[in-house]
Amino acid sequence: QPQLVESGGGLVQPGGSLRLSCQSSALTFEYYAVGWFRQAVEKEREGVSWMDSTGGTHNGTTYYADSVKGRFTMSRDSPQNTVYLQMDNLQPEDTAIYSCAVGPWGGFNQDEYNYWGQGTQVTVSS
C-alpha cells in the first residue's frame, strides 16, 4: 500500500497562514489526481482542493471548494514529488484534520481516491 505523509499542521491564530505538504515515496504525483480533504470534529469529510494529473482530462488544473477559494492555494513540486496546500487568512472554521489523497480521476468526492495519508491537525484559535 503506497504511503502518503502529510506535514505542516499546527496551531495558528485567526488570519494566520500554514503550508501543508504531502509526500510519497511510491507514487509520482504528476501522474495522478491529488486531493486535499479535511474533517472537523463531528462533521463529514469534505474536499478542499484537488489537482488533476499532468496530461489528465483537466491537465493539471486545480480546483477549490467555495469555502477556501481565494485563501488556499494548491501546488505541486514535481522534482521534489511534493504537493502543497498554502492556507492563508485561516479562520476557526478551518480547524480540522487535513489529509491528502491520490486517485486516477480526482474531484471532490472522496470515493474517487484510492490512497490516503494519515492526516495532519490544523487548529485555528486565538
Side-chain angles (χ1 to χ4, degrees):
Q1 181 84 349
Q3 206 173 17
L4 301 177
V5 180
E6 302 95 339
S7 61
L11 173 64
V12 64
Q13 292 186 339
S17 298
L18 285 173
R19 188 177 76 160
L20 306 183
S21 301
C22 176
Q23 294 181 299
S24 174
S25 59
L27 298 171
T28 302
F29 287 135
E30 65 180 316
Y31 299 150
Y32 297 90
V34 182
W36 282 100
F37 289 78
R38 67 185 181 186
Q39 187 167 20
V41 173
E42 297 183 346
K43 288 193 174 180
E44 299 274 329
R45 181 185 281 169
E46 64 171 347
V48 173
S49 68
W50 73 277
M51 177 184 287
D52 197 13
S53 61
T54 302
T57 303
H58 303 272
N59 198 25
T61 302
T62 307
Y63 299 88
Y64 300 95
D66 288 342
S67 58
V68 306
K69 205 171 290 183
R71 300 188 298 124
F72 290 13
T73 304
M74 184 176 179
S75 61
R76 180 176 59 218
D77 183 335
S78 294
Q80 297 294 323
N81 198 39
T82 303
V83 171
Y84 299 101
L85 184 67
Q86 176 68 40
M87 305 186 295
D88 298 318
N89 191 21
L90 283 160
Q91 300 301 316
E93 54 266 33
D94 296 315
T95 295
I97 295 174
Y98 285 71
S99 301
C100 62
V102 166
W105 306 117
F108 289 112
N109 184 346
Q110 60 183 317
D111 294 336
E112 297 295 337
Y113 295 85
N114 305 118
Y115 305 110
W116 291 80
Q118 292 297 310
T120 184
Q121 177 70 48
V122 171
T123 303
V124 186
S125 175
S126 55

